[in-house]
Each structure stands twice: as structure tokens, then as C-alpha cells.
Amino acid sequence: GLPLAEKLSQEGTVVLVSQESPFLDKVIHIPFEKKIPKIPDNIYSHIFLIDDEEDVTIEYLSSILKKANEDKAILCFATNLKNQEKIPSELTEYKKTRIVLLGDVFPAGSIFSKAYVNRFLAEARKRGRIDVPEEGMSISYPVFIEDAILGILEASFGTSSQNPYYLFPKHGITLLSLAHAIQKTDPN
């Protein structure tokens, strides 16, 4: 959510409900600590809900849907491809919902998720080696964070009627191939 808020703040004021505290101009930070946060009762044109794979995201979905409906706002729900079966039906019933299915999102310079690509990069930096699980035949769909942000913005502000939006490579890569690609980039 923070990189998306940073990008959106270039165009206008953003209200960010997050545990992370950004220090950005035009971003109003509302701390989120496992209880219902007090969000300013403004009229929002777009509401972005980034699923962090915790149950708390789904718990507050009905109140977020109610607010989106009142404001006639576009509701963009971004989640991992692996969680597409868990998308609640009430979300798909709201006509202005944009569902974005992401692959394994990885950033430049930092590690922030449980995706294999992030684990591999962390292992390579810390230990100088990568341990590939499950014989390396599992499939990963790596997506650079900047591409994910641009895709979320396109899904929310673009003219395409495609729903859900798929933001991951068409063909996945095996974990063994992914580890080899990282090793090839920096053999040491």
C-alpha cells in the first residue's frame, strides 16, 4: 500500500490506513492496529484495498463496500493469485469493483513478503546461497513492484472492462530456474 500511496500522492491527497507510517507530503496516515480505524468521512473517488493475506482484511470488507457504495467509488481489491478462491462473492457483486490478481511481488532493495523471489534474494544477500525447496519444481510468478503499481493504477483508472485483472507473467518460472536467474545475475 505504501508504494501505491506514494505514487498516488503525486496527483492529489491520499488517505493511507496502514501499520507503516509514511513521511510523505499529501498523505494522511491513519494507524491500523487490528481494530477499526477512524477514517475521515470524506467522499472518495477510489478506494484501494491491498490484501495482506490476513483475516482482518476480509473482516472489514463489508464496511469498506458500504462506504464505496455510498460514495459511488471504484473499489480496487488487489490480492495474490493464490488467494483468488478466497475472494468474497459480495465483492464481485459491487459493479465498480476492480479485482487485481498479483503474482509474487518483489521490490528493489528491500524484502517485504513471503514470496519465493523475496526469500531467495534475502538468502543470497545474507548467506551467499539459495536453498530451493521441493526439488525446485514449484512455479513462481514474479512481478516487480513498479509493474504491480502501474497495473493497479491501470485497473482502477483505465478504460478496460476486464475483471479480474491479471498482473503476473503468462508463464510462470520454476523455483530452480528462478534461483539460477538470481545466481546468473550475481555469481558471487
Side-chain angles (χ1 to χ4, degrees):
L2 186 58
L4 180 62
E6 185 177 333
K7 188 80 166 174
L8 287 169
S9 70
Q10 296 170 2
E11 300 297 323
T13 303
V14 174
V15 176
L16 175 67
V17 179
S18 173
Q19 291 176 344
E20 299 176 33
S21 180
F23 298 102
L24 300 168
D25 292 337
K26 297 185 179 180
V27 174
I28 299 167
H29 178 247
I30 309 294
F32 181 72
E33 299 163 357
K34 303 279 184 195
K35 59 181 181 175
I36 299 174
K38 282 243 183 231
I39 300 170
D41 193 26
N42 298 337
I43 296 176
Y44 299 99
S45 63
H46 291 75
I47 298 173
F48 296 89
L49 183 59
I50 310 299
D51 182 19
D52 58 0
E53 298 181 30
E54 292 189 22
D55 293 335
V56 81
T57 306
I58 302 302
E59 284 177 29
Y60 300 119
L61 186 61
S62 61
S63 60
I64 292 169
L65 274 168
K66 181 181 175 190
K67 178 65 176 163
N69 197 22
E70 287 172 3
D71 294 352
K72 296 180 179 42
I74 291 175
L75 174 61
C76 182
F77 180 76
T79 189
N80 191 288
L81 169 67
K82 298 169 193 158
N83 298 331
Q84 72 182 15
E85 300 87 33
K86 297 178 185 176
I87 296 173
S89 60
E90 60 194 285
L91 188 63
T92 57
E93 291 169 4
Y94 180 61
K95 291 179 179 157
K96 291 190 172 191
T97 297
R98 306 291 189 270
I99 297 172
V100 179
L101 298 175
L102 299 164
D104 300 325
V105 178
F106 69 96
S110 67
I111 308 299
F112 64 75
S113 81
K114 300 176 243 172
Y116 282 117
V117 66
N118 290 316
R119 281 194 251 165
F120 287 0
L121 290 171
E123 286 179 5
R125 288 181 188 142
K126 286 182 183 176
R127 299 180 12 207
R129 68 178 208 183
I130 299 172
D131 293 326
V132 180
E134 305 168 11
E135 298 178 4
M137 293 295 113
S138 295
I139 303 294
S140 176
Y141 296 92
V143 178
F144 187 57
I145 192 162
E146 292 297 323
D147 295 331
I149 290 169
L150 292 174
I152 290 171
L153 292 174
E154 176 63 31
S156 300
F157 294 100
T159 58
S160 175
S161 62
Q162 178 184 354
N163 204 15
Y165 293 85
Y166 298 99
L167 291 178
F168 53 88
K170 185 175 184 177
H171 302 287
I173 184 172
T174 64
L175 297 182
L176 193 57
S177 297
L178 180 61
H180 182 68
I182 292 170
Q183 181 185 26
K184 192 174 177 181
T185 302
D186 185 1
N188 294 326

